[in-house]
Amino acid sequence: MTDSSPAPAEAAPPVAAPHPPGHGWKLVLGSIGVVYGDIGTSPLYALRESLHAAGRDVLRPEEVIGVISLLIWTLILIVTVKYVLLIMRADNRGEGGTLSLVALVQQAMKRRPAWLLGIGVVGISLFFGDAMITPAMSVLSAVEGLSLVAPHFQPFVIPTTLLIILGLFFAQYQGTERVSVFFGPIMTVWFLVMAGMGLWHMSDDTRVLAALNPVNAVGFLVENGLASLIVLGSVFLAVTGGEALYADMGHFGRRPIRIAWGLLVFPALTLSYLGQGAMVLAHPETAHNPFFLMAPGWALLPLVLLATAATVIASQAVISGAFSMMQQATQMGLLPRLEIQHTSETQYGQIYLPKVNLILAVGVILLVLAFGSSSDLAAAYGIAVTGDMVITSVLAFVLFYRAWKWPLVLVVAVVAPILTLELLFLAANATKIADGGYVPILMALTICLLMWTWVRGTAHVQRKARMGMVSVETLIGMLKKSHPITCPGTAVFLTSDPDMAPSALMHNLKHNRVLHKQNFIVTVGVAPTPRVRDADRLVIQRLSEEFVKVRMTFGYMEQPNVPKALALARKQGEKFDIMSTSFFLNRRSFRSARGQGLPNWQERVYIAMTKSAADATDFYCLPSNRVVEMGQQMTI
């Protein structure tokens, strides 16, 4: 168990992500394949569900134009203005995402209040719920297109979808490096095809160009009043995946993501919605599936296959994002240790989490079986992303005001309109709770409950453990009088409380009556930054001739490699042989005791979570042949 409460750091100005010079267009191509996979597949269903939500079989032309205008201006306000122009300026030493924004706010406030931690937990939980729904929704939408090619294929839509999803999750252990080289080119073709089809059909009815005027979007909302909330809930499907621009900024950099959006992605999405709208205006009967019906008969099958490839890429991107998010949550002490496998020797951040992958796979399969179609699943889609976007705006408000020192009037003028629009979308998605919106809410509540239990249980265990411990200074004084047997070599004791003598050390003295010649008391902490320089990795304090206190600090996106970090101590004058060093761990087992701390149900959940934690030897990259584990039973 490690210290998971990083010390407050000084607020740092935005620092650009370090990317190799001369590889700008490769990064642009990579961002097209990974960052825009989710939002790039939204034309498959966004307009279809928005028209369906309007509630009439045949809509008036001004209503169709109003819906198209809502789609386009939602892209402009939420994605272009909020994320591309504003939020992407808030990078935490090159990294983005909800936890990076939480870390930036924490640095500005010089502390981590409970409400800030709570917002981070909710944001993670909502993102994880979205990571389950996206593969189910996207792949289902693409495979359903096959029923247009061959109507008799309809009974095989669900089995085919499940086979694709099973293959996708089964392949995760190999990592994404092997296939990611194809992501950019495939998605580039996808966007070009969308743009081409949109241009081709815009001549069907040029009245659709009126959708570029935001007055038509506002007019639709005013004319329909509260009834327009139902339509807005479906319109929001157009920007699901927009948060990926910020979350994946550390992989590609701010500039490549902005270039990809401005030159290809946004124009392609806009042309696709205009083309679909023009076709629906000219041929209202196509409203039930406007995207696929834009293609001529001979191109329908290739389009369905391309759409399937695009949705698999979109799913891969959100799955990889879930892996990164869970790794960050583990590093910040919000979850027990998770097994993390690095799948690439050349690309940092390519990781695979077996337990997270299994949970996602089971969740996606259950969603496909429970809802059965993308139209039914659309009711569950959107509320998680909307909630995550609202959280981002709230954190951005605090960041702009407290860290960047913007005048309050300017902060309100910039953030308030966007936050108001997002709250409107949140209210619109809330109307779909009974029809399926409860699914991501239940997912998020479950994850929040688990994280809260882990944080609360860990704090309780640390308080109780401290009660029966002696301080390191007291132990050093006692050893000067008792003079235990000293054996050669170095012992490293990992502990979460650097001021108290580690339990493994006390057990070793009590049962073996042996003290190593040199003893390192090591605490592993997590900084509110993605990575930590080697120069700032260690803080060493020599307590006596035999004892050295070491605090190691890792970024929340780093794998804590204790032996590698410990080797840096030699550069600071500590003399020891890392190859003859033994690592001592304290393995706790827990028993529940009623009325002594947590509620009984929460104790049981916490104990179950401790049993599911990954082995500390692997988590801290310790050499297994030099690890000694000391058992301890504790009643909580």
Side-chain angles (χ1 to χ4, degrees):
M1 190 175 297
T2 61
D3 183 5
S4 59
S5 301
E10 293 296 327
V15 179
H19 295 289
H23 291 73
W25 289 108
K26 289 185 179 180
L27 292 171
V28 171
L29 187 63
S31 70
I32 292 171
V34 176
V35 176
Y36 294 110
D38 191 359
I39 197 171
T41 54
S42 57
L44 285 168
Y45 44 77
L47 179 59
R48 180 192 71 196
E49 296 304 321
S50 299
L51 295 175
H52 176 71
R56 284 190 289 274
D57 294 333
V58 179
L59 298 176
R60 291 180 286 116
E62 56 270 24
E63 291 177 318
V64 174
I65 293 171
V67 170
I68 301 294
S69 186
L70 283 170
L71 289 166
I72 293 173
W73 281 95
T74 298
L75 287 172
I76 293 173
L77 294 175
I78 299 295
V79 182
T80 305
V81 175
K82 177 185 174 180
Y83 284 101
V84 174
L85 298 181
L86 289 175
I87 299 298
M88 289 184 69
R89 297 182 67 244
D91 63 276
N92 188 359
R93 290 170 173 82
E95 297 293 340
T98 302
L99 286 182
S100 288
L101 201 53
V102 168
L104 286 172
V105 174
Q106 176 184 329
Q107 292 172 34
M109 302 182 73
K110 295 183 172 60
R111 61 191 182 92
R112 188 172 72 177
W115 67 264
L116 182 60
L117 180 63
I119 284 181
V121 167
V122 173
I124 295 169
S125 304
L126 291 172
F127 183 89
F128 196 77
D130 178 50
M132 283 189 184
I133 298 175
T134 293
M137 179 74 179
S138 300
V139 177
L140 256 177
S141 297
V143 176
E144 284 170 349
L146 287 172
S147 61
L148 296 176
V149 181
H152 63 274
F153 184 79
Q154 183 63 37
F156 302 99
V157 168
I158 299 294
T160 304
T161 300
L162 292 178
L163 284 175
I164 293 173
I165 289 172
L166 284 172
L168 175 65
F169 281 101
F170 182 76
Q172 291 301 313
Y173 77 95
Q174 296 182 352
T176 59
E177 183 181 17
R178 295 182 181 179
V179 293
S180 62
V181 66
F182 301 107
F183 284 8
I186 291 174
M187 291 306 297
T188 299
V189 172
W190 169 254
F191 283 117
L192 291 174
V193 168
M194 279 201 304
M197 290 194 306
L199 275 173
W200 182 37
H201 279 281
M202 276 174 57
S203 60
D204 291 357
D205 196 324
T206 55
R207 288 180 298 172
V208 75
L209 293 175
L212 298 174
N213 186 344
V215 171
N216 289 289
V218 176
F220 181 89
L221 297 177
V222 172
E223 181 180 349
N224 290 275
L226 291 177
S228 63
L229 284 178
I230 300 175
V231 178
L232 282 176
S234 297
V235 166
F236 189 79
L237 296 174
V239 292
T240 54
E243 74 283 358
L245 277 73
Y246 183 49
D248 290 328
M249 186 167 58
H251 295 289
F252 302 99
R254 182 190 309 153
R255 181 177 171 81
I257 292 176
R258 284 176 167 173
I259 291 174
W261 175 256
L263 293 185
L264 178 64
V265 180
F266 176 64
L269 293 174
T270 303
L271 289 172
S272 179
Y273 289 127
L274 289 173
Q276 292 182 55
M279 184 183 67
V280 171
L281 285 173
H283 308 284
E285 68 277 6
T286 62
H288 71 281
N289 204 331
F291 181 84
F292 284 115
L293 291 177
M294 281 199 298
W298 60 267
L300 189 55
L301 180 58
L303 180 62
V304 170
L305 296 177
L306 179 60
T308 303
T311 55
V312 169
I313 291 172
S315 302
Q316 176 62 64
V318 78
I319 292 168
S320 299
F323 289 163
S324 297
M325 188 71 74
M326 291 297 107
Q327 180 196 28
Q328 294 176 38
T330 299
Q331 293 289 76
M332 296 181 74
L334 301 176
L335 287 172
R337 291 187 303 268
L338 294 171
E339 180 185 353
I340 301 173
Q341 299 178 10
H342 291 264
T343 59
S344 172
E345 296 180 358
T346 59
Q347 294 186 25
Y348 184 86
Q350 295 280 336
I351 56 175
Y352 168 63
L353 281 67
K355 287 185 178 178
V356 175
N357 189 65
L358 178 61
I359 293 171
L360 284 174
V362 172
V364 172
I365 290 171
L366 290 177
L367 284 172
V368 172
L369 293 175
F371 287 89
S373 72
S374 61
S375 293
D376 291 340
L377 191 56
Y381 204 28
I383 195 166
V385 184
T386 318
D388 201 17
M389 287 184 174
V390 169
I391 287 173
T392 301
S393 295
V394 171
L395 291 172
F397 186 98
V398 179
L399 180 70
F400 296 166
Y401 181 61
R402 294 292 297 270
W404 295 2
K405 307 300 181 183
W406 285 12
L408 182 59
V409 175
L410 178 60
V411 176
V412 171
V414 171
V415 178
I418 295 174
L419 182 58
T420 301
L421 178 62
E422 288 174 341
L423 289 172
L424 191 62
F425 278 121
L426 184 61
N429 279 286
T431 63
K432 302 188 292 184
I433 289 179
D435 297 324
Y438 61 87
V439 172
I441 294 177
L442 290 178
M443 290 178 184
L445 286 175
T446 301
I447 297 171
C448 284
L449 180 64
L450 291 176
M451 289 186 180
W452 175 56
T453 297
W454 183 254
V455 171
R456 190 182 183 196
T458 300
H460 172 66
V461 168
Q462 289 178 343
R463 284 194 303 269
K464 188 153 188 178
R466 193 179 178 97
M467 293 170 57
M469 300 174 74
V470 298
S471 68
V472 177
E473 287 77 8
T474 301
L475 176 63
I476 292 174
M478 295 168 58
L479 292 174
K480 289 180 180 179
K481 299 177 182 179
S482 61
H483 302 292
I485 298 173
T486 302
C487 66
T490 302
V492 175
F493 297 91
L494 269 71
T495 178
S496 60
D497 192 339
D499 297 324
M500 310 303 290
S503 298
L505 171 59
M506 299 302 293
H507 283 295
N508 195 38
L509 286 170
K510 179 179 179 180
H511 298 290
N512 300 326
R513 303 181 185 279
V514 171
L515 182 70
H516 282 74
K517 184 178 180 180
Q518 189 164 218
N519 300 272
F520 285 178
I521 299 176
V522 176
T523 305
V524 179
V526 180
T529 54
R531 299 176 186 86
V532 173
R533 298 181 306 167
D534 283 346
D536 303 325
R537 181 80 66 196
L538 301 183
V539 176
I540 299 176
Q541 179 186 1
R542 179 161 283 281
L543 305 176
S544 68
E545 187 176 344
E546 297 88 4
F547 286 92
V548 179
K549 186 186 294 185
V550 180
R551 179 174 177 83
M552 296 181 181
T553 306
F554 296 90
Y556 58 78
M557 293 192 71
E558 292 183 295
Q559 175 75 18
N561 190 321
V562 170
K564 184 177 179 181
L566 197 61
L568 298 173
R570 288 183 293 185
K571 296 181 180 180
Q572 299 189 31
E574 298 298 333
K575 297 180 180 179
F576 66 97
D577 182 7
I578 190 68
M579 299 305 295
S580 62
T581 298
S582 298
F583 297 85
F584 287 79
L585 299 175
N586 182 44
R587 180 178 288 274
R588 289 188 178 125
S589 59
F590 300 98
R591 293 176 57 190
S592 178
R594 295 179 181 273
Q596 292 192 16
L598 304 177
N600 187 55
W601 68 268
Q602 201 165 35
E603 285 182 358
R604 293 179 181 275
V605 173
Y606 179 77
I607 292 173
M609 293 178 74
T610 61
K611 292 178 180 178
S612 69
D615 184 67
T617 300
D618 296 330
F619 187 81
Y620 294 112
C621 304
L622 305 179
S624 57
N625 59 338
R626 286 187 278 126
V627 173
V628 180
E629 291 191 353
M630 313 292 285
Q632 178 189 18
Q633 189 173 81
M634 177 181 290
T635 302
I636 60 173

